[in-house]
Amino acid sequence: MSRLKVITHDAATGPVLEVVGELDHDSAAQLRDRVAALTLPSGRRLVLDLAGLEFCDSSGITALIAARNHAHAAGADIALAAVPPRTLRVLKIVGLDQIFTMLPERHGATRS
């Protein structure tokens, strides 16, 4: 299994977290902690760039939902960018494609 790396970038619209590797039971807390440590100004957008995501289990999905809850509690928006096909399929099956803004790539998600 690939270890999870979460790389933070700043964009004009707000923070971008690049999620690389496997988001699972062993690593989901790492993403939750990174998101919880973010200061999200109201009206900004948190982008989770999932282009490098290799695997996501139910714990990973829960971490994505926690990120959404954190963003919305701050009055910020959230978008998932470059969601891999297998993860996108799971998100659609459970209806989360209806609550997350999903964009094909990060750069579109970070434009004002």
Side-chain angles (χ1 to χ4, degrees), residues 15-71:
V16 176
L17 296 183
E18 185 179 348
V19 182
V20 179
E22 298 190 3
L23 185 56
D24 59 17
H25 175 72
D26 294 329
S27 63
Q30 181 182 345
L31 178 60
R32 284 193 310 272
D33 292 346
R34 284 296 277 285
V35 169
L38 290 175
T39 300
L40 296 171
S42 180
R44 305 301 282 177
R45 173 184 276 170
L46 168 63
V47 175
L48 299 179
D49 178 356
L50 304 180
L53 187 66
E54 297 170 8
F55 175 80
C56 184
D57 71 4
S58 61
S59 297
I61 299 294
T62 301
L64 297 178
I65 294 168
R68 179 184 180 274
N69 293 342
H70 178 74

Side-chain angles (χ1 to χ4, degrees), residues 50-107:
L50 304 180
L53 187 66
E54 297 170 8
F55 175 80
C56 184
D57 71 4
S58 61
S59 297
I61 299 294
T62 301
L64 297 178
I65 294 168
R68 179 184 180 274
N69 293 342
H70 178 74
H72 285 192
D77 189 19
I78 185 169
L80 303 181
V83 181
R86 282 192 279 186
T87 302
L88 182 58
R89 182 174 181 268
V90 171
L91 293 174
K92 285 182 177 183
I93 288 170
V94 297
L96 293 176
D97 62 320
Q98 301 299 308
I99 67 163
F100 280 104
T101 299
M102 288 196 253
L103 301 169
E105 48 98 38
R106 172 179 53 169
H107 300 292

